[in-house]
């Protein structure tokens, strides 16, 4: 509740049913209808549909109104969320890189508003509260792992392994465009429901690519719980920084105990102690052998200049995910067979399956 209140102060609040029209640089005017507010730790986004093509739910990010004379810290985080993220996702799109596990840009541009607009030139804005506000629309929509864990507790071994596989696949794909995420944490990974709707119907997508590191001078986000040691120490990423953060994420998702840190020094000490005592590996080992092995691998890589061997770990994680999916399918099929037998036994259906 405090988060929602916090945002009401300066964030543009939209209502269910609001029609948002924007001028997309590539596709011209597009209209989206707001479905509901999606509250996460840092920002307020909305689920929305494209009015002309309402087949799927999209995520609509609203930036800060450009009339603010003194940009606040909050506006800065909105700038990362909207304008910077638009830049990063456009780079991925222009490089022809797409993946089920990466958010995809649907539209971006300045908000248009109903009524007459009295701005003089395209770069200006009038007094209307929406005028000129930057908007980014992405696919898909999901629920952040931070709220899932807060509601339901730790993930199962299968889901944690799947989450690891999906995030690693996303990181590998982004790496092809020389992009590192720089802010892997539970609020920035969403769980998405597969449209197929089978029993194993989730996949995971790292969102919030606004803090991504594209070149030497870019600095990653500083998160005392989830940033890599290298990021905390040097304000820069090393090649394994994102996967190091992924290990802290998995540790958290699997119920690992993370104390709040109050300084960079204590955060670094926690990392050093945890790795030295193999605390993280041992905890992950209770959940899954493959996650423990992956943590051991990342331990050898932390802070070194060596690249992550995405391909061989994706192969191993794929195998682990598929084995548990097959097991899941088998259980499903048995359950269905038993239901059919129940029906046959109680409703006069003969062994041949026809009605008597
Ligand atoms: Zn206007």
């Amino acid at each position: 509740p405090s988060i929602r209140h916090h945002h009401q102060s300066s964030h543009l609040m939209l209502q269910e049913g609001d029609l948002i029209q924007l001028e997309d640089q590539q596709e011209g005017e597009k209209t989206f209808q707001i479905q509901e507010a999606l509250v996460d730790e840092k920002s307020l986004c909305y689920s929305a549909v494209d009015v002309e093509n309402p087949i799927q739910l999209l995520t609509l990010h609203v930036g800060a109104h450009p009339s603010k004379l003194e940009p606040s810290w909050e506006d800065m985080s909105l700038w990362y969320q909207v304008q910077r993220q638009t830049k990063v996702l456009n780079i991925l799109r222009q490089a022809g890189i797409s993946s089920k596990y990466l958010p995809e840009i649907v539209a971006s541009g300045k908000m248009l508003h109903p009524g007459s607009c009295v701005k003089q030139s395209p770069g200006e804005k009038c007094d209307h509260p929406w005028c000129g506000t930057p908007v980014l629309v992405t696919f898909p929509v999901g629920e952040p792992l931070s709220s899932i864990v807060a509601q339901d507790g730790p993930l199962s071994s299968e889901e944690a392994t799947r989450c690891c596989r999906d995030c690693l696949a996303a990181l590998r794909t982004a790496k092809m465009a020389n992009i590192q995420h720089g802010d892997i944490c539970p609020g920035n990974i969403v769980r998405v429901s597969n449209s197929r709707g089978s029993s194993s119907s989730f996949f995971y997508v790292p969102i919030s690519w606004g803090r991504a590191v594209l070149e030497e001078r870019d600095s990653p986000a500083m998160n005392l719980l989830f940033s890599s040691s290298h990021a905390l120490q040097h304000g820069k990423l090393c090649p394994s920084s994102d996967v190091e953060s992924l290990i802290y994420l998995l540790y958290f998702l699997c119920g690992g105990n993370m104390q709040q840190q109050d300084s960079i020094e204590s955060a670094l000490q926690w990392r050093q102690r945890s790795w030295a005592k193999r605390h993280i590996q041992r905890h992950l080992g209770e959940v899954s052998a493959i996650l423990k092995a992956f943590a051991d691998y990342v331990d050898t890589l932390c802070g070194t200049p060596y690249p992550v061997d995405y391909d061989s770990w994706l192969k191993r994680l794929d195998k682990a995910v598929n084995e548990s999916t097959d097991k899941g399918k088998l259980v499903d099929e048995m359950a269905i067979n038993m239901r059919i037998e129940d029906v046959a036994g109680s409703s006069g259906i003969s062994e041949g399956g026809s009605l008597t």
Side-chain angles (χ1 to χ4, degrees), residues 65-72 75 125:
H65 188 265
S67 73
K68 287 274 186 47
L69 291 175
E70 288 178 49
S72 62
D75 291 339
K125 71 272 168 194

Side-chain angles (χ1 to χ4, degrees), residues 75-220:
D75 291 339
M76 201 56 207
S77 113
L78 286 177
W79 180 83
Y80 277 113
Q81 175 96 17
V82 180
Q83 286 100 317
R84 182 91 197 310
Q85 180 161 227
T86 302
K87 176 184 169 175
V88 175
L89 296 183
N90 264 326
I91 290 173
L92 287 168
R93 176 158 76 173
Q94 277 150 17
I97 288 173
S98 71
S99 158
K100 177 181 178 182
Y101 308 113
L102 285 174
E104 189 186 316
I105 197 162
V106 174
S108 71
K110 299 257 166 73
M111 214 187 266
L112 305 171
H113 58 82
S116 61
C117 183
V118 296
K119 70 180 176 192
Q120 308 287 315
S121 67
E124 284 182 21
K125 71 272 168 194
C126 70
D127 288 339
H128 192 284
W130 293 7
C131 197
T133 299
V135 173
L136 168 65
V137 185
T138 57
F139 175 80
V141 169
E143 197 182 347
L145 289 179
S146 46
S147 41
I148 290 172
V149 170
Q151 276 167 37
D152 307 337
L155 297 193
S156 69
S157 155
E158 285 82 3
E159 286 306 311
T161 309
R162 185 182 298 274
C163 176
C164 179
R165 192 270 311 263
D166 296 358
C167 290
L168 197 66
L171 294 174
R172 177 185 61 170
T173 307
K175 185 73 186 60
M176 290 172 188
N178 267 319
I179 294 174
Q180 285 176 278
H181 187 281
D183 196 10
I184 297 288
C185 65
N188 287 342
I189 314 291
V190 290
R191 188 176 74 180
V192 181
S193 297
N194 253 326
S195 41
R196 290 188 288 114
S198 70
S199 68
S200 57
S201 61
F202 295 124
F203 63 99
Y204 298 85
V205 175
I207 57 162
S208 294
W209 287 79
R211 298 304 308 249
V213 170
L214 313 179
E215 49 189 303
E216 183 59 30
R217 64 195 173 102
D218 297 337
S219 50

Side-chain angles (χ1 to χ4, degrees), residues 48-350:
V49 291
D50 182 341
V51 168
E52 279 164 38
N53 190 22
I55 48 164
Q56 57 197 9
L57 275 180
L58 306 167
T59 306
L60 190 140
H61 315 253
V62 182
H65 188 265
S67 73
K68 287 274 186 47
L69 291 175
E70 288 178 49
S72 62
W73 178 87
E74 200 174 322
D75 291 339
M76 201 56 207
S77 113
L78 286 177
W79 180 83
Y80 277 113
Q81 175 96 17
V82 180
Q83 286 100 317
R84 182 91 197 310
Q85 180 161 227
T86 302
K87 176 184 169 175
V88 175
L89 296 183
N90 264 326
I91 290 173
L92 287 168
R93 176 158 76 173
Q94 277 150 17
I97 288 173
S98 71
S99 158
K100 177 181 178 182
Y101 308 113
L102 285 174
E104 189 186 316
I105 197 162
V106 174
S108 71
K110 299 257 166 73
M111 214 187 266
L112 305 171
H113 58 82
S116 61
C117 183
V118 296
K119 70 180 176 192
Q120 308 287 315
S121 67
E124 284 182 21
K125 71 272 168 194
C126 70
D127 288 339
H128 192 284
W130 293 7
C131 197
T133 299
V135 173
L136 168 65
V137 185
T138 57
F139 175 80
V141 169
E143 197 182 347
L145 289 179
S146 46
S147 41
I148 290 172
V149 170
Q151 276 167 37
D152 307 337
L155 297 193
S156 69
S157 155
E158 285 82 3
E159 286 306 311
T161 309
R162 185 182 298 274
C163 176
C164 179
R165 192 270 311 263
D166 296 358
C167 290
L168 197 66
L171 294 174
R172 177 185 61 170
T173 307
K175 185 73 186 60
M176 290 172 188
N178 267 319
I179 294 174
Q180 285 176 278
H181 187 281
D183 196 10
I184 297 288
C185 65
N188 287 342
I189 314 291
V190 290
R191 188 176 74 180
V192 181
S193 297
N194 253 326
S195 41
R196 290 188 288 114
S198 70
S199 68
S200 57
S201 61
F202 295 124
F203 63 99
Y204 298 85
V205 175
I207 57 162
S208 294
W209 287 79
R211 298 304 308 249
V213 170
L214 313 179
E215 49 189 303
E216 183 59 30
R217 64 195 173 102
D218 297 337
S219 50
M222 283 289 189
N223 185 320
L224 294 179
L225 291 179
F226 296 98
S227 287
S228 67
S229 303
H230 197 83
L232 290 178
Q233 257 171 320
H234 306 289
K236 301 275 168 213
L237 299 184
C238 66
S240 62
S241 283
D242 279 340
V243 292
E244 185 183 335
S245 296
L246 181 55
I247 296 296
Y248 302 141
L249 172 83
L250 290 165
Y251 179 70
F252 168 80
L253 296 177
C254 295
N257 178 27
M258 295 186 105
Q259 314 137 330
Q260 276 303 322
Q261 303 292 339
D262 48 20
S263 68
I264 289 180
E265 289 71 43
S266 72
L268 285 168
Q269 275 166 18
W270 180 84
R271 284 157 178 69
Q272 250 163 21
R273 223 175 26 242
S274 303
W275 287 114
K277 292 184 174 170
R278 307 190 73 253
H279 224 76
I280 295 172
Q281 290 98 314
R282 251 186 290 140
H283 184 83
L284 289 177
E286 286 167 21
V287 176
S288 131
I290 181 83
L291 293 183
K292 174 177 179 284
F294 184 53
D296 272 328
Y297 167 72
V298 172
D299 185 24
T300 65
L301 217 58
C302 282
T304 71
Y306 302 114
V308 177
D309 184 358
Y310 292 101
D311 290 343
S312 72
W313 280 100
L314 276 172
K315 226 178 264 171
R316 294 181 65 176
L317 286 159
D318 255 339
K319 197 162 162 272
V321 167
N322 290 334
E323 275 167 7
S324 69
T325 308
D326 288 347
K327 238 186 272 165
K329 272 189 197 140
L330 207 64
V331 171
D332 274 358
E333 275 162 25
M334 280 166 65
I336 289 168
N337 285 338
M338 279 165 67
R339 273 202 298 278
I340 290 172
E341 278 163 23
D342 284 352
V343 172
S346 63
S347 67
I349 297 175
S350 76

